[in-house]
Amino acid sequence: MTSLYDHGAQKFPDAGLLASSLGRGWGGLAAELRTHPACDIPDICSRQTEITFAVRGTGGGMVERRGNGRFQATPSRSGALWLCPKGVNEDQIRLTEAIPEVLHVYIPDDQIDALSGLASRPVAFDENIYRAGLEDEFVRQICVRILGELREETAGGSLLMEHLASVLVTHISGSYTDHCIEKRGGGIVGALDQRRLKRVQDYIEDNLETDLTVAEIASVACLSRYHFARAFRTAVGESPNSYIGSRRINRALSLLSSSEMSLVEIAFVCRFSSQAAFARAFRRQLGKTPGEYRRSR
């Protein structure tokens, strides 16, 4: 378990350590409570599967990160969740404002291996579960319980943490990997398999500046429009149109940060009907307007 804490110290050299489970005899997971300054975190290849929970966040700050080429930007407000599997190469992590309290939960390989022994085939926590701004109240409440034990140790804390680790890994596997769509024996029960999902996601990324339709994307997955829409929502947790909207906002973030394009031009490139529609969608997702975001950079 010591290597779990080594990972935290290596990844966050400038972060203050407020509390740690090191030396408490926890089984199944490790946890650290840190305070993070506004900074750029050094490039790192993740050596552990990590869940990050903003205990006390910021009013208008952002966390921008890029793992294996996938850029994500998320408001660092209280309650925000991030998921990073082992093996993802993060070459950009930027905190625009200091975050007072952040819980980092590290999951060792043996927990995932134990779940694989119960599944029809090995469970893969790979780059497909690299997620930011996770809206998952179940994971959030588990993090709250881990935080409570970290702050005030109880007699049964070690046993509880081992149980929570098993529940957490099972939930992540069931919600964010293709194991959520299989029964023992491999019967499909409703979602896109990972091969089709990746093909669809790659197509969306390559065509964000065109007028994408659900029918067009469904043809990439070789499914009817109705079947595709249901299968995509089951696999990803949101509708195709909602997912495309989020990806276009991410594209807009990149353009706001790296180009001199006007807001009107960015709205057009990202296929919003007007600058006003772009601003409304941007504020809804990130809590600030495109102009405010650009000025904060």
Side-chain angles (χ1 to χ4, degrees), residues 10 13 16 38 51 55 125 127 159 183 190 200-201 240 242 246 253:
Q10 179 186 1
I51 298 167
V55 179
F125 278 22
E127 63 180 21
L159 184 62
K183 300 175 182 176
V200 165
Q201 289 174 322
S242 177
S246 296
L253 282 167

Side-chain angles (χ1 to χ4, degrees), residues 7-58:
H7 172 69
Q10 179 186 1
K11 186 173 182 179
F12 309 114
D14 298 324
L17 184 63
L18 303 176
S20 171
S21 61
L22 181 64
R24 297 196 184 187
W26 285 15
L29 59 81
E32 293 177 328
L33 183 65
R34 291 182 175 272
T35 179
H36 288 272
C39 66
D40 291 305
I41 294 173
D43 298 359
I44 189 171
C45 182
S46 182
R47 290 159 39 200
Q48 309 293 342
T49 294
E50 177 185 348
I51 298 167
T52 307
F53 172 55
V55 179
R56 282 199 301 130
T58 65

Side-chain angles (χ1 to χ4, degrees), residues 24-141:
R24 297 196 184 187
W26 285 15
L29 59 81
E32 293 177 328
L33 183 65
R34 291 182 175 272
T35 179
H36 288 272
C39 66
D40 291 305
I41 294 173
D43 298 359
I44 189 171
C45 182
S46 182
R47 290 159 39 200
Q48 309 293 342
T49 294
E50 177 185 348
I51 298 167
T52 307
F53 172 55
V55 179
R56 282 199 301 130
T58 65
M62 299 288 295
V63 174
E64 301 167 356
R65 66 178 193 171
R66 183 172 60 212
N68 286 6
R70 296 173 59 186
F71 179 78
Q72 299 170 336
T74 310
S76 52
R77 57 175 67 107
S78 299
L81 287 166
W82 295 263
L83 179 58
C84 181
K86 179 180 177 179
V88 168
N89 183 38
E90 293 186 296
D91 60 3
Q92 176 187 337
I93 307 177
R94 183 171 184 265
L95 280 61
T96 64
E97 292 184 13
I99 309 178
E101 289 186 320
V102 180
L103 178 70
H104 298 274
V105 178
Y106 308 116
I107 301 174
D109 292 342
D110 57 12
Q111 280 292 327
I112 302 170
D113 293 341
L115 182 61
S116 292
L118 301 175
S120 57
R121 59 188 174 83
V123 173
F125 278 22
D126 55 24
E127 63 180 21
N128 289 314
I129 65 168
Y130 185 67
R131 307 290 180 98
L134 214 61
E135 287 302 329
D136 193 321
E137 191 57 31
F138 187 78
V139 172
R140 190 175 286 114
Q141 289 305 315

Side-chain angles (χ1 to χ4, degrees), residues 9 60 78 119 134 138 163 220 234 274 279 290:
S78 299
L134 214 61
F138 187 78
H163 173 68
V220 174
T234 303
S274 65

Side-chain angles (χ1 to χ4, degrees), residues 53-266:
F53 172 55
V55 179
R56 282 199 301 130
T58 65
M62 299 288 295
V63 174
E64 301 167 356
R65 66 178 193 171
R66 183 172 60 212
N68 286 6
R70 296 173 59 186
F71 179 78
Q72 299 170 336
T74 310
S76 52
R77 57 175 67 107
S78 299
L81 287 166
W82 295 263
L83 179 58
C84 181
K86 179 180 177 179
V88 168
N89 183 38
E90 293 186 296
D91 60 3
Q92 176 187 337
I93 307 177
R94 183 171 184 265
L95 280 61
T96 64
E97 292 184 13
I99 309 178
E101 289 186 320
V102 180
L103 178 70
H104 298 274
V105 178
Y106 308 116
I107 301 174
D109 292 342
D110 57 12
Q111 280 292 327
I112 302 170
D113 293 341
L115 182 61
S116 292
L118 301 175
S120 57
R121 59 188 174 83
V123 173
F125 278 22
D126 55 24
E127 63 180 21
N128 289 314
I129 65 168
Y130 185 67
R131 307 290 180 98
L134 214 61
E135 287 302 329
D136 193 321
E137 191 57 31
F138 187 78
V139 172
R140 190 175 286 114
Q141 289 305 315
I142 289 181
C143 287
V144 169
R145 186 63 190 88
I146 293 171
L147 176 66
E149 183 64 30
L150 191 63
R151 283 177 162 161
E152 189 171 344
E153 196 171 1
T154 64
S158 179
L159 184 62
L160 175 62
M161 292 304 109
E162 190 164 356
H163 173 68
L164 288 181
S166 177
V167 171
L168 195 54
V169 168
T170 303
H171 174 75
I172 292 171
S173 175
S175 299
Y176 303 108
T177 78
D178 60 354
H179 283 76
C180 66
I181 63 170
E182 293 186 356
K183 300 175 182 176
R184 186 175 293 272
I188 302 297
V189 295
L192 284 179
D193 60 87
Q194 287 297 304
R195 179 179 56 83
R196 289 194 195 195
L197 180 59
K198 186 176 189 311
R199 189 165 74 232
V200 165
Q201 289 174 322
D202 288 345
Y203 183 84
I204 290 172
E205 290 298 318
D206 291 341
N207 293 276
L208 283 175
E209 297 179 10
T210 68
D211 293 322
L212 284 167
T213 66
V214 175
E216 176 187 351
I217 304 169
S219 68
V220 174
C222 301
L223 295 171
S224 70
R225 184 182 185 281
Y226 176 73
H227 185 189
F228 167 73
R230 291 186 60 188
F232 187 91
R233 180 185 286 275
T234 303
V236 177
E238 58 184 331
S239 70
N241 284 330
S242 177
Y243 177 84
I244 292 168
S246 296
R247 299 312 303 159
R248 282 178 170 153
I249 291 294
N250 268 353
R251 177 67 59 84
L253 282 167
S254 179
L255 293 173
L256 286 166
S257 301
S258 62
S259 79
E260 298 298 324
M261 295 172 65
S262 69
L263 299 184
V264 172
E265 290 172 321
I266 293 174

